[in-house]
CSV table of all heavy atoms in Angstrom, one decimal:
chain,number,residue,atom,x,y,z
A,970,PHE,N,-30.2,7.4,15.5
A,970,PHE,CA,-30.9,6.8,16.6
A,970,PHE,C,-30.0,6.1,17.6
A,970,PHE,O,-30.1,6.3,18.8
A,970,PHE,CB,-31.9,5.8,16.2
A,970,PHE,CG,-32.8,5.2,17.2
A,970,PHE,CD1,-33.8,5.9,17.9
A,970,PHE,CD2,-32.5,3.9,17.7
A,970,PHE,CE1,-34.5,5.2,18.9
A,970,PHE,CE2,-33.2,3.2,18.6
A,970,PHE,CZ,-34.2,3.9,19.2
A,1003,ILE,N,-38.0,5.3,10.6
A,1003,ILE,CA,-38.2,5.0,12.0
A,1003,ILE,C,-39.1,6.0,12.8
A,1003,ILE,O,-39.6,5.7,13.9
A,1003,ILE,CB,-36.9,4.7,12.7
A,1003,ILE,CG1,-36.0,6.0,12.9
A,1003,ILE,CG2,-36.1,3.7,12.0
A,1003,ILE,CD1,-34.9,5.7,13.7
A,1004,ARG,N,-39.2,7.2,12.2
A,1004,ARG,CA,-40.0,8.2,12.9
A,1004,ARG,C,-41.5,7.9,12.9
A,1004,ARG,O,-42.3,8.4,13.6
A,1004,ARG,CB,-39.8,9.6,12.2
A,1004,ARG,CG,-38.4,10.1,12.3
A,1004,ARG,CD,-38.2,11.4,11.4
A,1004,ARG,NE,-38.5,11.0,10.1
A,1004,ARG,CZ,-38.4,11.9,9.1
A,1004,ARG,NH1,-38.1,13.2,9.3
A,1004,ARG,NH2,-38.6,11.6,7.8
A,1005,ARG,N,-41.9,7.1,11.9
A,1005,ARG,CA,-43.4,6.8,11.7
A,1005,ARG,C,-43.9,5.7,12.6
A,1005,ARG,O,-45.1,5.5,12.8
A,1005,ARG,CB,-43.5,6.3,10.3
A,1005,ARG,CG,-43.3,7.4,9.2
A,1005,ARG,CD,-43.5,6.8,7.8
A,1005,ARG,NE,-43.2,7.8,6.8
A,1005,ARG,CZ,-43.0,7.4,5.5
A,1005,ARG,NH1,-43.2,6.2,5.1
A,1005,ARG,NH2,-42.6,8.3,4.7
A,1007,ALA,N,-42.6,4.4,16.2
A,1007,ALA,CA,-41.8,4.3,17.4
A,1007,ALA,C,-42.0,2.9,18.1
A,1007,ALA,O,-41.1,2.3,18.7
A,1007,ALA,CB,-42.0,5.5,18.3
A,1030,GLU,N,-41.5,5.5,25.9
A,1030,GLU,CA,-41.6,6.8,26.0
A,1030,GLU,C,-40.1,7.5,25.6
A,1030,GLU,O,-39.9,8.5,25.0
A,1030,GLU,CB,-42.0,7.4,27.3
A,1030,GLU,CG,-41.1,7.2,28.5
A,1030,GLU,CD,-41.1,5.8,29.0
A,1030,GLU,OE1,-41.9,4.9,28.4
A,1030,GLU,OE2,-40.4,5.4,30.0
A,1031,VAL,N,-39.1,6.7,26.0
A,1031,VAL,CA,-37.7,7.1,25.7
A,1031,VAL,C,-37.5,7.0,24.1
A,1031,VAL,O,-36.9,7.9,23.5
A,1031,VAL,CB,-36.7,6.3,26.4
A,1031,VAL,CG1,-35.3,6.7,26.0
A,1031,VAL,CG2,-36.8,6.5,27.9
A,1032,VAL,N,-38.0,5.9,23.6
A,1032,VAL,CA,-37.8,5.7,22.2
A,1032,VAL,C,-38.5,6.7,21.4
A,1032,VAL,O,-38.1,7.2,20.4
A,1032,VAL,CB,-38.4,4.2,21.8
A,1032,VAL,CG1,-38.4,4.1,20.3
A,1032,VAL,CG2,-37.5,3.2,22.4
A,1033,GLU,N,-39.9,7.1,21.8
A,1033,GLU,CA,-40.6,8.2,21.1
A,1033,GLU,C,-39.8,9.4,21.2
A,1033,GLU,O,-39.8,10.2,20.2
A,1033,GLU,CB,-41.9,8.3,21.8
A,1033,GLU,CG,-42.8,7.1,21.5
A,1033,GLU,CD,-44.1,7.2,22.3
A,1033,GLU,OE1,-44.1,7.8,23.4
A,1033,GLU,OE2,-45.2,6.5,21.9
A,1034,ARG,N,-39.1,9.7,22.3
A,1034,ARG,CA,-38.3,10.9,22.4
A,1034,ARG,C,-37.1,10.9,21.4
A,1034,ARG,O,-36.8,11.9,20.8
A,1034,ARG,CB,-37.8,11.1,23.8
A,1034,ARG,CG,-36.8,12.2,24.0
A,1034,ARG,CD,-36.5,12.5,25.5
A,1034,ARG,NE,-36.2,11.4,26.2
A,1034,ARG,CZ,-34.9,11.0,26.4
A,1034,ARG,NH1,-34.0,11.6,25.7
A,1034,ARG,NH2,-34.6,9.9,27.1
A,1035,LEU,N,-36.5,9.7,21.4
A,1035,LEU,CA,-35.3,9.6,20.6
A,1035,LEU,C,-35.5,9.6,19.1
A,1035,LEU,O,-34.7,10.1,18.3
A,1035,LEU,CB,-34.4,8.3,21.0
A,1035,LEU,CG,-33.9,8.3,22.5
A,1035,LEU,CD1,-33.2,7.0,22.7
A,1035,LEU,CD2,-33.1,9.5,22.7
A,1036,VAL,N,-36.6,9.0,18.6
A,1036,VAL,CA,-36.9,8.9,17.2
A,1036,VAL,C,-37.0,10.3,16.6
A,1036,VAL,O,-36.9,10.4,15.4
A,1036,VAL,CB,-38.1,8.0,16.8
A,1036,VAL,CG1,-37.7,6.5,17.3
A,1036,VAL,CG2,-39.3,8.5,17.4
A,1037,HIS,N,-37.5,11.2,17.4
A,1037,HIS,CA,-37.7,12.6,17.0
A,1037,HIS,C,-36.3,13.2,16.7
A,1037,HIS,O,-36.3,14.3,16.0
A,1037,HIS,CB,-38.6,13.4,17.9
A,1037,HIS,CG,-40.0,13.0,17.9
A,1037,HIS,ND1,-40.8,12.9,16.8
A,1037,HIS,CD2,-40.7,12.4,19.0
A,1037,HIS,CE1,-41.9,12.5,17.1
A,1037,HIS,NE2,-42.0,12.2,18.4
A,1038,LYS,N,-35.3,12.7,17.2
A,1038,LYS,CA,-33.9,13.3,17.0
A,1038,LYS,C,-33.3,12.9,15.7
A,1038,LYS,O,-32.2,13.4,15.4
A,1038,LYS,CB,-33.0,13.0,18.1
A,1038,LYS,CG,-33.5,13.5,19.5
A,1038,LYS,CD,-32.5,13.2,20.6
A,1038,LYS,CE,-32.9,13.9,21.9
A,1038,LYS,NZ,-32.0,13.6,23.0
A,1039,VAL,N,-34.0,11.9,15.0
A,1039,VAL,CA,-33.3,11.3,13.8
A,1039,VAL,C,-33.5,12.2,12.5
A,1039,VAL,O,-33.0,11.9,11.5
A,1039,VAL,CB,-33.6,9.9,13.6
A,1039,VAL,CG1,-33.4,9.0,14.8
A,1039,VAL,CG2,-35.1,9.8,13.1
A,1040,ALA,N,-34.4,13.2,12.5
A,1040,ALA,CA,-34.8,13.9,11.3
A,1040,ALA,C,-33.6,14.7,10.8
A,1040,ALA,O,-32.7,15.1,11.6
A,1040,ALA,CB,-35.9,14.8,11.6
Side-chain angles (χ1 to χ4, degrees):
F970 179 77
I1003 68 174
R1004 297 169 301 179
R1005 294 177 185 165
E1030 69 285 359
V1031 176
V1032 172
E1033 289 173 339
R1034 169 169 57 84
L1035 296 181
V1036 295
H1037 290 300
K1038 296 183 177 181
V1039 305

